[in-house]
Amino acid sequence: MSQLLRHARQRVDKVLKLIQVLKSHEFPHEDSRKTLAFVEGQFGELQDTLQHLNDSLNDPHTIRANCRSALEAVFAYLPVLGFVARSTDVVGALELHRPLHRIVTAVVGPDAHLLLTSDWQYSPYTYVHYQLIEKGFVLVGLPASEAGNGLIMPLAGHEIGHNMWYANNLDQHFAPLVSDSLVAEILNNRFNEFQEHFDPLEKSQVNDLAGRPYWEPAFAWAMAQCQEMFCDFVGLVLFREAYLYAFQYLLSPGGGARDASYPSMPSRARHLIAAAKERGFQIAEKYPDSFDEEQSEAKGKDEFLLALADKARESVIPKLLAKADEKLASYEPGAHSEEEKKRVKAAFTRATPVAGGVRLVNLVNATWEIEISEIQIWNNDYPALAERPEERSRVLNELFLKSLEVLEIEKLQEEQP
């Protein structure tokens, strides 16, 4: 047996042994075990394929291609196994899983699964892989330092948005719009600059095989930026003002180096505020001032391309928001209720969880309104608590998480025949 084939088999066998170890763990939610079973199935197929390969019977190119596929699978799925392992971690707020799982099944697919973990990256993120997306596995990581903080829950809406983007093939929908915008900007406003940075071309060549490779990086950046804004709008539509508060809490003041794949933080804030105002959400005018402008390191042609990307993204903002509205139209329409928020605040003022069918969007928004008012609800009845800011925040978080548990129990009771 060749060393290549032998090593490929060993790598796959070690992943399968790791999966067996993970299967012995106790998981708080069945989605972790289902994710593990899916990955085990992928590697079982790889193992079977490699076992049936033979150096004397199979073409060397066939063996090499299958060994490469196995190696790529290890790279792709080891982070997934890390998600599974961390889903047993009690650092995270386990109460968030079921409410977010309900959102996932409503907006990604009825058979979708959610794996929610704490992670050592500060920015929340999702791990996407085409086979995971195809089977409806949504993996969301929240920063370990904040994993017990229920008030960052709305940020998971952004990560769910990434899964919606891929599940609905929105790249295919927005790619023509973005490329048309880029070409129009070059031809109508920046053709002289384009020629300064790249080989002299006729205007007729900008959008053909001669010109397209020059602005392809701007297209890639613009598409990535569009996806980020779509995901911001998903978070906003799902959680209303609470998404803005959570976004501000975790990421302000921003600044630092600009990543070309993201809109600038002030730009994101301005788009979110505009969308919020359009819907009548209550948010301070000065909200965008919370975020500092990042400094781009792009120079010369890269600076020019980034400007093109920003312009193209700006041109499709209304369509990104409209698409988020469209994809979420059937999820709890008309759920917002000032009366329900008042009930939440009244219960929390008594230092008790809320009950009685309050919907998630109203629970999380009422809690954030208490938080941004510097938690003054206990000033009269609990003066000792009112004088301890850190303890106030801890109690508010506990009331929110306990309320999530109560609301979930109520939903389960409603679903029983």
Side-chain angles (χ1 to χ4, degrees), residues 229 233 244 247 264-277 285 287-289 291 293 313-314 317:
M229 282 311 312
F233 291 143
L244 299 173
F247 186 86
S264 71
M265 292 295 283
S267 176
R268 290 172 72 178
R270 286 192 296 271
H271 291 315
L272 284 166
I273 283 292
K277 283 183 179 178
E285 293 276 350
Y287 179 84
D289 297 340
F291 301 94
E293 192 72 58
R313 178 249 305 156
E314 291 287 321
I317 287 294

Side-chain angles (χ1 to χ4, degrees), residues 265-388:
M265 292 295 283
S267 176
R268 290 172 72 178
R270 286 192 296 271
H271 291 315
L272 284 166
I273 283 292
K277 283 183 179 178
E278 186 180 307
R279 284 153 176 71
F281 297 175
Q282 301 300 311
I283 197 72
E285 293 276 350
K286 61 183 181 179
Y287 179 84
D289 297 340
S290 303
F291 301 94
D292 296 335
E293 192 72 58
E294 300 99 324
Q295 298 301 312
S296 173
E297 298 178 357
K299 303 296 180 186
K301 68 178 182 179
D302 287 338
E303 185 176 17
F304 169 71
L305 291 170
L306 180 55
L308 288 178
D310 288 342
K311 186 72 174 180
R313 178 249 305 156
E314 291 287 321
S315 72
V316 296
I317 287 294
K319 293 182 175 64
L320 291 165
L321 178 56
K323 185 59 69 174
D325 279 329
E326 174 194 323
K327 295 302 179 183
L328 296 171
S330 62
Y331 176 73
E332 293 196 347
H336 174 250
S337 166
E338 290 296 327
E339 181 59 35
E340 286 188 9
K341 288 201 295 183
K342 288 179 182 177
R343 286 172 51 201
V344 174
K345 292 177 182 178
F348 284 11
T349 300
R350 299 189 300 270
T352 61
V354 70
V358 172
R359 284 161 290 192
L360 176 62
V361 66
N362 300 312
L363 170 60
V364 71
N365 273 280
T367 307
W368 262 113
E369 288 177 13
I370 295 169
E371 170 62 31
I372 64 173
S373 69
E374 299 184 359
I375 319 180
Q376 299 178 16
I377 59 173
W378 297 310
N379 287 358
N380 294 327
D381 296 335
Y382 302 96
L385 182 60
E387 293 173 2
R388 300 167 61 191

Side-chain angles (χ1 to χ4, degrees), residues 54-313:
N54 188 299
D55 292 307
S56 61
L57 298 177
N58 297 106
D59 178 74
H61 295 293
T62 300
I63 292 175
R64 198 171 194 86
N66 281 279
C67 290
R68 184 183 301 112
S69 295
L71 181 60
E72 290 171 350
V74 176
F75 274 102
Y77 284 109
L78 198 60
V80 178
L81 296 179
F83 260 87
V84 173
R86 291 191 299 278
S87 68
T88 64
D89 194 345
V90 295
V91 170
L94 299 179
E95 297 89 345
L96 301 184
H97 182 272
R98 284 190 180 275
L100 288 173
H101 183 268
R102 290 183 182 277
I103 294 175
V104 166
T105 55
V107 304
V108 175
D111 298 321
H113 310 286
L114 172 66
L115 205 59
L116 185 67
T117 75
S118 59
D119 201 87
W120 297 104
Q121 294 189 53
Y122 183 67
S123 181
Y125 75 103
T126 188
Y127 184 81
V128 293
H129 181 276
Y130 74 95
Q131 287 182 314
L132 293 172
I133 292 293
E134 191 176 67
K135 297 297 183 180
F137 287 95
V138 176
L139 281 61
V140 175
L142 298 175
S145 60
E146 297 287 344
N149 178 8
L151 271 70
I152 69 167
M153 181 186 198
L155 297 178
H158 178 102
E159 308 312 323
I160 292 170
H162 283 293
N163 290 271
M164 292 171 62
W165 180 275
Y166 290 107
N168 290 281
N169 295 313
L170 294 186
D171 266 329
Q172 293 182 16
H173 177 81
F174 284 101
L177 302 176
V178 170
S179 61
D180 287 349
S181 176
L182 282 166
V183 172
E185 177 66 12
I186 292 170
L187 293 178
N188 298 333
N189 301 316
R190 311 191 73 156
F191 186 65
N192 290 338
E193 289 179 77
F194 183 81
Q195 287 189 312
E196 287 175 10
H197 291 294
F198 305 110
D199 290 342
L201 295 172
E202 299 296 328
K203 284 192 173 184
S204 60
Q205 295 177 293
V206 168
N207 198 26
D208 65 14
L209 292 176
R212 189 177 181 94
Y214 292 124
W215 53 263
E216 194 70 38
F219 173 77
W221 290 337
M223 287 298 297
Q225 291 182 26
C226 287
Q227 184 177 159
E228 292 300 326
M229 282 311 312
F230 170 81
C231 296
D232 277 342
F233 291 143
V234 167
L236 184 71
V237 175
L238 285 173
F239 291 101
R240 294 176 58 94
E241 295 94 336
Y243 180 76
L244 299 173
Y245 297 138
F247 186 86
Q248 183 182 47
Y249 166 78
L250 201 73
L251 298 174
S252 66
R258 166 90 187 271
D259 184 338
S261 298
Y262 288 79
S264 71
M265 292 295 283
S267 176
R268 290 172 72 178
R270 286 192 296 271
H271 291 315
L272 284 166
I273 283 292
K277 283 183 179 178
E278 186 180 307
R279 284 153 176 71
F281 297 175
Q282 301 300 311
I283 197 72
E285 293 276 350
K286 61 183 181 179
Y287 179 84
D289 297 340
S290 303
F291 301 94
D292 296 335
E293 192 72 58
E294 300 99 324
Q295 298 301 312
S296 173
E297 298 178 357
K299 303 296 180 186
K301 68 178 182 179
D302 287 338
E303 185 176 17
F304 169 71
L305 291 170
L306 180 55
L308 288 178
D310 288 342
K311 186 72 174 180
R313 178 249 305 156

